[in-house]
């Protein structure tokens, strides 16, 4: 097994399982758990799944909305956008690839320079679809910059035009409060592995008024909305993880570490750029450009120093692509290709911040010397 970074600052990519989630999953891993079976083992499986479902509904204050388990946030987003027949689909320019790359959109809502969806642009777009059925998909918090989107305002606007709202809350869940009813969202996506839960468990949560149909058909599981035998240990871990979301205390510490990193970097290099600094952001996320040094070089440099960070977006091949989020904000290409994302978690300390800043400074100074040579 290859070595693991000693300082992990890539929590928006995935998080470690919390000890409570690990213990809970270990207890049921290995048991024959098919919730569709009517014998005692099957009933135990069903009870685990329904308990998790209840916890997840409560976690996002879903009221009487349906909670359908899927295998990933990507699958949930696919279902939200592909599972509505006869609807026009509008998405924001800063969405995750699992929304943007489906090729189903009839319009793209622009973003402002501060990384927030442009409400005036959305309003203009809505006027182009009079009398049509439509869905607007805007994420609750951006995975690269951390910028929190005004979903409540968007939902009001979209509902006034007769449309439905989907919000991809994958990055928000567990870091800030996600209250589906307060937000007014009709459909939301969450994924367990972004907040201490396991890979392979996610949910699509939608009001009973939303005419979604299944993308995966077969055995009729999940009330016909998603066929396939459920991954019971992962779903159980998902439910347990809802109680493990970052506490107010964790968030205070994490944002203090993040603020220290940002202020130290600006002190070292006035030409460094911290994106979306003036927007409401997730407390754990920072996207920073080191001018003249490609993201990939930076990620490798930090890796050698034992620190895990990421370029804004990496496709599955591991190849780094220039952030479409920064480009949508109007950031110039040269700056955008020098951005990395730092995403902190419960286990980070001020000492980690010092290590990060010192590695950042080393690379910055080395780049300055080679520029001068
Ligand atoms: N949506 C956002 C905003 C994400 O950041 C991610 C993952 O990075 C996803 C969706 C996809 O989630 P999953 O990894 O569970 O497929």
């Amino acid at each position: 097994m290859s070595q693991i970074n000693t300082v992990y600052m890539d929590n928006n990519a995935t998080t470690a399982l919390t000890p409570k989630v690990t213990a809970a999953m270990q207890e049921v891993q290995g048991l024959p758990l098919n919730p569709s079976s009517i014998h005692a083992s099957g009933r135990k499986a069903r009870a685990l799944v329904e308990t998790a479902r209840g916890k997840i509904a409560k976690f996002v204050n879903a009221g009487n909305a349906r909670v359908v388990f899927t295998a990933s946030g990507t699958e949930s987003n696919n279902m939200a956008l592909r599972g509505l027949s006869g609807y026009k689909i509008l998405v924001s320019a800063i969405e995750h690839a699992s929304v943007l790359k489906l090729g189903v959109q009839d319009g793209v809502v622009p973003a402002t320079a501060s990384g927030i969806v442009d409400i005036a642009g959305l309003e203009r777009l809505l006027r182009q679809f009079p009398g049509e059925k439509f869905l607007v998909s805007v994420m609750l918090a951006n995975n690269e910059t951390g910028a929190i989107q005004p979903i409540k305002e968007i939902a009001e606007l979209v509902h006034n035009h007769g449309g439905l709202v989907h919000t991809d809350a994958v990055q928000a869940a567990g870091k800030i409060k996600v209250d589906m009813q307060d937000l007014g969202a009709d459909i939301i996506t969450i994924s367990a592995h972004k907040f201490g839960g396991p890979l392979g468990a996610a949910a699509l949560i939608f009001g009973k008024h939303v005419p979604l149909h299944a993308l995966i058909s077969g055995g009729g599981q999940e009330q016909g909305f998603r066929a396939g035998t459920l991954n019971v240990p992962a779903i159980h871990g998902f439910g347990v993880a809802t109680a493990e979301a970052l506490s107010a205390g964790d968030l205070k510490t994490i944002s203090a570490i993040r603020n220290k990193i940002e202020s130290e970097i600006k002190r070292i290099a006035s030409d460094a750029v911290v994106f979306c600094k003036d927007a409401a952001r997730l407390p754990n996320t920072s996207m920073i450009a080191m001018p003249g040094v490609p993201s990939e070089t930076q990620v490798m440099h930090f890796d050698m120093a034992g620190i895990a960070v990421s370029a804004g977006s990496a496709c599955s091949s591991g190849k780094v692509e220039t952030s479409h989020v920064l480009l949508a904000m109007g950031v110039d290409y040269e700056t955008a290709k020098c951005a990395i994302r730092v995403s902190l978690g419960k286990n980070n300390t001020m000492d980690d911040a010092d290590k990060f800043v010192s590695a950042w400074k080393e690379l910055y100074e080395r780049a300055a010397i080679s520029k001068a040579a």
Side-chain angles (χ1 to χ4, degrees):
M1 198 176 165
S2 64
Q3 221 184 323
I4 298 279
N5 298 92
T6 48
V7 177
Y8 187 74
M9 295 186 165
D10 199 14
N11 287 274
N12 288 8
T14 197
T15 56
L17 291 187
T18 70
K20 277 192 189 150
V21 172
T22 307
M25 288 177 69
Q26 270 166 357
E27 240 177 70
V28 300
Q29 201 91 48
L31 299 176
L33 294 171
N34 185 336
S36 304
S37 304
I38 55 173
H39 48 60
S41 294
R43 292 198 302 276
K44 177 178 173 70
R46 175 149 295 273
L48 288 168
V49 168
E50 294 315 321
T51 301
R53 201 187 309 278
K55 285 181 178 166
I56 287 153
K58 200 159 158 230
F59 180 53
V60 298
N61 193 25
N64 68 354
R66 298 180 202 279
V67 176
V68 170
F69 288 115
T70 65
S72 64
T74 297
E75 184 191 329
S76 293
N77 284 346
N78 269 258
M79 181 170 168
L81 271 72
R82 290 192 161 138
L84 286 169
S85 300
Y87 275 69
K88 298 287 177 198
I89 306 290
L90 309 179
V91 305
S92 93
I94 58 169
E95 295 304 299
H96 186 261
S98 54
V99 166
L100 266 186
K101 293 206 174 164
L102 303 189
V104 294
Q105 63 258 32
D106 299 285
V108 177
V109 189
T112 64
S114 47
I116 304 299
V117 161
D118 180 358
I119 300 284
L122 170 60
E123 223 167 346
R124 276 195 300 278
L125 203 55
L126 292 180
R127 285 199 289 269
Q128 293 178 19
F129 298 95
E132 301 264 20
K133 290 193 284 187
F134 63 92
L135 171 84
V136 175
S137 182
V138 176
M139 66 207 326
L140 183 48
N142 185 265
N143 47 304
E144 298 189 19
T145 63
I148 296 168
Q149 307 301 315
I151 298 301
K152 199 168 171 170
E153 196 185 337
I154 289 170
E156 262 173 40
L157 181 64
V158 171
H159 289 155
N160 285 340
H161 283 77
L164 295 175
V165 174
H166 165 244
T167 189
D168 171 354
V170 164
Q171 290 296 344
K175 298 177 189 134
I176 57 171
K177 177 106 198 78
V178 177
D179 184 326
M180 185 175 180
Q181 294 187 76
D182 184 54
L183 290 170
D186 302 285
I187 317 176
I188 70 170
T189 295
I190 62 171
S191 181
H193 75 101
K194 305 291 188 181
F195 59 97
L199 296 156
L204 188 67
I205 305 160
F206 51 99
K208 297 217 165 85
H209 61 288
V210 180
L212 273 170
H213 60 76
L215 298 188
I216 303 177
S217 304
Q221 290 92 344
E222 294 298 87
Q223 299 163 60
F225 287 108
R226 200 271 190 182
T229 306
L230 293 170
N231 183 349
V232 177
I235 289 169
H236 177 49
F238 188 7
V240 174
T242 58
E244 299 277 285
L246 298 175
S247 67
D250 294 330
L251 290 169
K252 205 167 153 212
T253 310
I254 287 171
S255 60
I257 298 171
R258 195 259 316 259
N259 296 346
K260 178 172 175 171
I261 288 174
E262 291 182 350
S263 60
E264 291 281 302
I265 284 177
K266 284 302 282 180
R267 197 177 51 76
I268 295 163
S270 59
D271 59 343
V273 187
V274 177
F275 298 101
C276 301
K277 200 159 166 30
D278 300 326
R281 277 185 299 166
L282 294 176
N284 78 319
T285 307
S286 183
M287 199 170 197
I288 307 165
M290 183 190 290
V293 183
S295 323
E296 212 160 351
T297 309
Q298 294 181 56
V299 171
M300 276 155 41
H301 168 79
F302 283 110
D303 190 34
M304 305 257 282
I307 302 167
V309 294
S310 75
S313 68
C315 63
S316 55
S317 66
K319 191 172 152 282
V320 173
E321 288 171 1
T322 304
S323 163
H324 69 279
V325 175
L326 295 183
L327 296 177
M329 287 162 55
V331 174
D332 65 276
Y333 183 77
E334 287 308 310
T335 307
K337 74 175 204 243
C338 297
I340 60 161
R341 177 186 71 186
V342 176
S343 51
L344 306 170
K346 250 190 219 194
N347 297 328
N348 291 122
T349 60
M350 283 293 177
D351 192 40
D352 293 347
D354 293 337
K355 285 187 185 135
F356 175 86
V357 171
S358 138
W360 198 95
K361 184 166 182 264
E362 190 198 333
L363 184 61
Y364 180 76
E365 289 176 349
R366 204 192 300 158
I369 293 167
S370 62
K371 244 186 266 170

